Amino acid sequence: MQTQVQAPVVAYAPITAEGVTAAITHAVKSDTKPYMHTSAFTGGAPQYFGEQIASTVVIANARPFAGALSLDHEGVAFRNNVSAVRDFHDDAEVERVYYPEIVAFLKAETGAREVLIFDHTRRTDTAGKSGFRGPANRAHNDYTHKSGLERVRTLLGEDAVARLDERPVAQVNVWRPISEPVLRSPLALLDATSVEPGDLIATDHVYADRIGEIYHLAHNPNHRWLYFPKMRRDEIILIKGYDSREDGRARFTPHSAFEDPATPARAPARESIEIRTLLTF
């Protein structure tokens, strides 16, 4: 069941005078746990089963204060980062050149002892392009407390889960445009300090051989949405998807692609690559 309802414009104290007003798709709280058939399960577009609502929100231009954002506070960081990769469409080159670049960068950026890259995904808003998935256009976080622990267990083993108090782990996505500038389907990110626990709705993620779990996001008028307009290939966003530490730092950072109403009619397609990593401290 998929229901779209247009909500009124959300009003909250702006963190910058600049920004756009656009729709973000939220989940609606229910006594029934929502679930989603992934593209790996359907063989095509993913299918969401649960009530949802298109809420009109203000999404602030975060470029003027990008340097003040951090993974541990807002769950988001924005950095200039030049890559030696010539062709981000080439999996072999991405794994040979880009993976080591990201490992070195994240170690220097976060102080992590170890950085494990476990996959990468390319996305475009051009339908049916081979080697690409579509933009994720529903407010979500890639992991829950449960599935974050399961990811640690799967990749690092049961011993790593038992030692999280002494060697904490965080999951971080590195998002980069591979065509520029990004004018269509930009990425909106939720300031993690504005997330309340009740806003996060655990959702089963159904694959052919297993069931995972992600968070979808309920609407809250106190949410603070951010984006970085006209991103270029030498710019990256770091997004924290999970942190084993429960000490007040950001643990989950919901995000979503959105349609910018100011997008030019003939704007080129958005193409991006995201690297998913697990950091051990």
Side-chain angles (χ1 to χ4, degrees):
M1 174 182 177
Q2 299 192 26
T3 305
Q4 293 279 352
V5 181
Q6 192 68 22
V9 174
V10 174
Y12 57 81
I15 50 181
T16 176
E18 301 179 46
V20 298
T21 299
I24 295 287
T25 300
H26 292 91
V28 175
K29 295 179 183 180
S30 170
D31 293 335
T32 302
K33 186 178 184 181
Y35 63 99
M36 186 170 179
H37 288 164
T38 65
S39 55
F41 182 85
T42 66
Q47 295 178 323
Y48 177 76
F49 297 87
E51 188 178 0
Q52 55 190 2
I53 184 171
S55 308
T56 305
V57 302
V58 175
I59 306 173
N61 174 7
R63 283 190 177 273
F65 53 90
L69 302 173
S70 74
L71 280 174
D72 280 344
H73 194 252
E74 292 82 9
V76 176
F78 178 84
R79 298 289 184 265
N80 292 312
N81 181 269
V82 177
S83 173
V85 175
R86 294 185 177 184
D87 183 6
F88 278 103
H89 300 82
D90 183 340
D91 284 332
E93 184 178 7
V94 166
E95 293 180 16
R96 184 181 70 255
V97 179
Y98 195 41
Y99 278 23
E101 289 179 346
I102 293 301
V103 168
F105 170 80
L106 286 176
K107 284 184 176 180
E109 175 74 18
T110 67
R113 297 183 190 183
E114 299 173 7
V115 175
L116 172 65
I117 294 175
F118 55 92
D119 69 22
H120 67 270
T121 300
R122 285 181 290 265
R123 296 183 187 272
T124 183
D125 58 354
T126 298
K129 185 169 183 178
S130 178
F132 284 77
R133 296 168 61 186
N137 56 7
R138 187 178 296 105
H140 72 285
N141 189 79
D142 292 2
Y143 292 92
T144 65
H145 177 74
K146 174 184 174 182
S147 62
L149 286 173
E150 187 57 35
R151 176 61 73 178
V152 175
R153 181 176 291 109
T154 300
L155 294 177
L156 302 181
E158 191 64 48
D159 183 60
V161 175
R163 298 176 61 199
L164 286 176
D165 286 344
E166 57 183 282
R167 297 203 62 181
V169 171
Q171 191 280 320
V172 173
N173 282 7
V174 182
W175 191 94
R176 179 191 297 269
I178 57 178
S179 61
E180 58 178 24
V182 175
L183 299 176
R184 279 177 21 187
S185 301
L187 192 64
L189 304 123
L190 188 60
D191 177 348
T193 65
S194 69
V195 179
E196 298 178 9
D199 300 336
L200 299 172
I201 300 175
T203 303
D204 284 338
H205 225 208
V206 181
Y207 296 85
D209 58 348
R210 65 185 178 90
I211 297 178
E213 189 177 71
I214 68 171
Y215 283 132
H216 279 114
L217 185 72
H219 175 257
N220 183 329
N222 295 318
H223 285 164
R224 289 152 59 98
W225 287 98
L226 316 171
Y227 86 119
F228 302 93
K230 300 179 181 178
M231 280 187 66
R232 307 193 71 88
R233 181 178 156 128
D234 60 356
E235 297 175 324
I236 58 174
I237 302 172
L238 310 181
I239 310 167
K240 187 185 287 188
Y242 167 75
D243 199 310
S244 65
R245 294 163 289 193
E246 300 183 53
D247 56 2
R249 74 185 70 214
R251 301 190 68 217
F252 309 108
T253 312
H255 50 281
S256 176
F258 73 98
E259 298 300 320
D260 184 346
T263 301
R266 297 184 179 180
R270 184 259 265 186
E271 292 188 355
S272 61
I273 187 168
E274 59 206 64
I275 302 288
R276 293 202 297 170
T277 74
L278 202 61
L279 281 58
T280 303
F281 296 93

